[in-house]
Amino acid sequence: LSTGLCISIMFLSGLIVPLSTEHAAAYAGYYAIGGVWAMAFQMTLWRLRPYWGIFHEIASCFEACAGLVGTLDLQIAGADPAAVRRRMRRRHKTLREAVRAAETTLEGVRAGAGHVMPVLDRAQLWLAAASREAMAVVSLRATVWPAPGTPAARMWQEFLAAWYAALSSISEALKDRRAEVFVSQAHAAYDALEAQELVTPEMRAPLRLALQHLDAAAESVTQLSGLRFGWREDLPRLSASGLRGFGSTLRAQLNFRSITFRHALRVAVASGFGLWFIGTFSAGHRMWLPMTVILVLQPEFGATWKRLWERAGGTLVGVLIAGGLYFLVGGTAGEIVVIALFCFGMFFFERINYGLGVVMLTPVFLLLLKVLDPGVSLQLYGFRLLDTLGGGVLALAAAYLLWPLWQRGSFLPQCAAAVRAQRDYLADVFSLPGDGELSHPELMRLRHMAEREGDNVEASLRRMLAEPRRSRGDARDLFGFVAFLRRLADNALGFAVELAGSTLSPAERRQGDELLQGLGTIADVLDGKIGVVGLNAVQQPLVATGTLVGAPLGRWFERLGADTASLAASTRRVVALIEGSEVVKARQGLSG
């Protein structure tokens, strides 16, 4: 995306700005000098703090874990249970997003390096530890805690405070490469709970898991200050393995069914039309309108609408600020200082809030024009605003009219993938070898995949809600499906922690097979492989029978069975909403 964006803007500059070959060579030279200067500056920072960005992203994962632990402390203190659940859900989502971002960054650096580096292996260990700490916290949220204010409750709060401090110290150590990590207090507080017999069997497994991975992360982080980051050894370099599959990827995407192909075609047509349209008026700075189209137009309609408001509103505020600075700031030195300040704000806010980033970007650009041409008219600032508004409207029209791909058409397959990923995770949990290990790499991979697919469903629903009502229909029933899917994922995680590496009995295995069969049926209905009548056998809650009644795993099977039945009932409504009642009737007839 960044490569295509740079090529597009450079091409517009080449079309519009240079007046001769001599000017074109000068502009190209300026771009090259600026690029070399940026590379030299970045290499200096890399030499001083290598992998600093990766460490900070992983540190944010431990900070999010600490936030989850703080939510448990509120629960023990007697806060409103509904508010605690909402806070837990938000912070768990924040943690998942932080882990995904760190994984993406880590894989990008690993692929660019092209060789094995011990520091990246340690980073993978820290990410796994943060994820497993979260798993332990989430599995404790359904625990019945002692009454607030009692000695038992205070002991639990002391343990959670020590746990919070340990996670925070690991985060700070990753940021500052220092050796102080406070883990012993958490162990001491846990031993005190064990001595008072306040740790129930269902709590013991997740807490032992948390302390085990806390020790592993702490030991690795404390050794970080002694690592030597060699310039030649650790500097990322290009790898031929990164080019594998490039041709097959292009062939797979070069067709009209691909959202990437449609988006590229929309951007090409809309920006080309914008360049022609603004050229008919012989306006100066003709690249502003088509450049706005390129920046605002997104693959999804909802994202384009959001980006339009951020770009237009940010430009309006930025033009007003630049207009005031036009009269207040005099002299080139003062203008350069102001430009530097706004540059800092632009890059600081760009990833936090795009609209604020645009507010900072607009004065930078307009004041640069004034520095380069002191005689520039204030009227040019108004043209900047008009071109931005025109480009935004053109981008919105292109998103709606030019080969749109509405989320309604891809929502059911995404839901099927999420249910099937959750089924695969549960199947692996049911097949644990009973070796007593609290975690397995393949199990963690399947859990991450199930979480990722669940996040995709929620993201797809948000995008659908941002689309025109005609394309998405009534989306009220979709919220129920997402809620039941999230509850199923939470109970599956709790079941895995409760199982604690042991194996299922034959009776429990039969219950598990019945549950997996029901989830498979739901996924097949969402994929359109069978009719919705197949859900009739799934909508009866699975009840623990025989030796499972009253057993610890029995109540977990009942929860999972109730979640599966609710998900089946919600699936019937979702399919009817997305596909329409006539399609559902036809599929029912074919199934019969």
Side-chain angles (χ1 to χ4, degrees):
L1 179 63
S2 59
T3 302
L5 183 64
C6 289
I7 290 174
S8 300
I9 294 177
M10 288 291 291
F11 185 71
L12 286 173
S13 301
L15 282 177
I16 296 168
V17 179
L19 303 178
S20 66
T21 305
E22 179 183 355
H23 286 85
Y27 277 113
Y30 294 150
Y31 275 107
I33 292 172
V36 171
W37 163 248
M39 285 179 61
F41 198 79
Q42 177 64 20
M43 290 301 102
T44 302
L45 292 179
W46 179 273
R47 181 62 173 170
L48 294 175
R49 295 294 301 272
Y51 307 110
W52 185 69
I54 298 176
F55 293 166
H56 267 255
E57 291 199 23
I58 298 177
S60 68
C61 299
F62 282 96
E63 287 179 358
C65 274
L68 280 176
V69 173
T71 305
L72 280 184
D73 185 75
L74 292 176
Q75 187 175 0
I76 297 177
D80 178 40
V84 171
R85 285 195 299 270
R86 289 193 298 270
R87 183 188 290 261
M88 178 73 77
R89 198 159 46 239
R90 288 196 302 270
R91 293 197 169 179
H92 192 204
K93 179 182 176 183
T94 301
L95 171 64
R96 294 200 308 267
E97 292 174 349
V99 171
R100 301 289 179 269
E103 286 177 341
T104 301
T105 303
L106 178 59
E107 288 305 314
V109 174
R110 189 188 295 274
H115 64 289
V116 176
M117 289 179 289
V119 65
L120 298 186
D121 295 334
R122 294 186 181 222
Q124 190 68 51
L125 184 148
W126 300 330
L127 270 178
S131 180
R132 288 159 192 173
E133 294 292 312
M135 182 178 74
V137 178
V138 172
S139 66
L140 293 173
R141 66 180 178 180
T143 300
V144 178
W145 302 103
T150 61
R154 285 194 292 272
M155 289 187 68
W156 273 109
Q157 288 180 308
E158 290 175 2
F159 167 72
L160 293 178
W163 193 2
Y164 183 97
L167 292 169
S168 299
S169 65
I170 292 176
S171 173
E172 292 302 319
L174 284 172
K175 291 178 181 178
D176 300 333
R177 286 179 59 185
R178 59 184 177 83
E180 296 85 9
V181 177
F182 311 105
V183 179
S184 59
Q185 295 90 334
H187 282 278
Y190 177 77
D191 292 339
L193 291 172
E194 285 278 18
Q196 296 295 323
E197 298 182 351
L198 296 177
V199 181
T200 63
E202 64 181 9
M203 296 178 183
R204 188 168 289 111
L207 291 177
R208 285 176 55 201
L209 178 72
L211 292 174
Q212 173 186 346
H213 290 288
L214 201 63
D215 288 339
E219 181 181 359
S220 179
V221 169
T222 53
Q223 297 171 357
L224 183 61
S225 58
L227 285 179
R228 295 181 61 86
F229 298 94
W231 175 262
R232 296 182 179 179
E233 290 79 7
D234 290 334
L235 185 64
R237 48 183 179 266
L238 295 177
S239 171
S241 61
L243 299 177
R244 293 175 184 173
F246 183 71
S248 60
T249 302
L250 282 181
R251 288 192 297 271
Q253 294 293 334
L254 281 174
N255 62 79
F256 202 72
R257 295 185 303 273
S258 167
I259 188 173
T260 303
F261 182 86
R262 292 190 182 200
H263 176 59
L265 193 59
R266 269 200 303 266
V267 172
V269 172
S271 58
F273 177 81
L275 183 60
W276 168 81
F277 178 78
I278 197 68
T280 58
F281 295 96
S282 301
H285 296 278
R286 290 184 297 131
M287 67 178 295
W288 285 352
L289 190 145
M291 186 176 66
T292 302
V293 173
I294 295 171
L295 295 174
V296 170
L297 188 54
Q298 303 295 308
E300 298 89 16
F301 180 86
T304 302
W305 179 257
K306 180 174 181 292
R307 182 59 63 91
L308 169 62
W309 280 104
E310 291 174 339
R311 186 81 184 181
T315 301
L316 174 60
V317 176
V319 165
L320 294 177
I321 294 174
L325 295 174
Y326 182 89
F327 297 104
L328 295 177
V329 180
T332 302
E335 291 169 344
I336 291 177
V337 170
V338 172
I339 289 172
L341 292 175
F342 276 92
C343 275
F344 173 83
M346 175 181 66
F347 285 101
F348 181 81
F349 288 112
E350 183 180 16
R351 295 187 65 179
I352 301 174
N353 187 299
Y354 180 76
L356 290 176
V358 174
V359 171
M360 299 293 170
L361 165 68
T362 304
V364 169
F365 192 76
L366 294 177
L367 290 175
L368 274 175
L369 289 178
K370 185 182 178 185
V371 170
L372 297 175
D373 184 7
V376 67
S377 171
L378 187 62
Q379 198 175 32
L380 186 65
Y381 292 16
F383 291 152
R384 169 74 173 188
L385 178 61
L386 292 177
D387 287 340
T388 300
L389 293 176
V393 171
L394 181 58
L396 187 67
Y400 187 81
L401 299 175
L402 297 180
W403 314 290
L405 191 62
W406 305 116
Q407 290 297 310
R408 184 188 182 107
S410 60
F411 186 74
L412 289 183
Q414 287 181 341
C415 292
V419 174
R420 193 165 281 114
Q422 198 62 55
R423 180 197 176 280
D424 293 341
Y425 171 65
L426 274 173
D428 201 67
V429 171
F430 295 157
S431 302
L432 287 176
D435 54 5
E437 291 292 333
L438 296 179
S439 62
H440 295 266
E442 179 62 16
L443 185 65
M444 297 303 299
R445 185 188 69 81
L446 291 173
R447 185 174 72 84
H448 285 315
M449 186 176 297
E451 287 183 351
R452 186 174 290 110
E453 293 295 345
D455 292 343
N456 289 339
V457 171
E458 294 187 29
S460 178
L461 177 57
R462 289 195 298 268
R463 290 193 294 265
M464 190 185 303
L465 294 176
E467 292 176 350
R469 190 175 182 85
R470 182 181 65 81
S471 68
R472 62 176 171 87
D474 188 357
R476 288 177 297 179
D477 290 331
L478 304 179
F479 287 106
F481 181 90
V482 173
F484 291 132
L485 183 63
R486 187 189 302 122
R487 195 171 70 181
L488 175 66
D490 292 342
N491 284 328
L493 181 60
F495 183 93
V497 173
E498 178 69 27
L499 193 58
S502 60
T503 187
L504 295 180
S505 66
E508 293 168 341
R509 184 69 208 202
R510 287 193 294 272
Q511 293 278 88
D513 290 341
E514 185 177 347
L515 186 67
L516 296 177
Q517 183 179 359
L519 291 175
T521 300
I522 294 174
D524 289 340
V525 171
L526 290 168
D527 263 338
K529 296 179 180 179
I530 61 175
V532 292
V533 293
L535 297 172
N536 295 338
V538 188
Q539 288 184 230
Q540 298 298 323
L542 179 67
V543 179
T545 58
T547 58
L548 300 182
V549 176
L553 289 182
R555 61 187 181 87
W556 283 107
F557 273 118
E558 289 180 355
R559 290 181 185 178
L560 293 172
D563 294 340
T564 303
S566 301
L567 197 63
S570 181
T571 297
R572 186 184 297 274
R573 294 191 293 269
V574 167
V575 172
L577 171 66
I578 298 296
E579 296 191 351
S581 59
E582 295 300 323
V583 177
V584 172
K585 290 179 181 178
R587 284 174 55 177
Q588 286 176 336
L590 289 174
S591 177

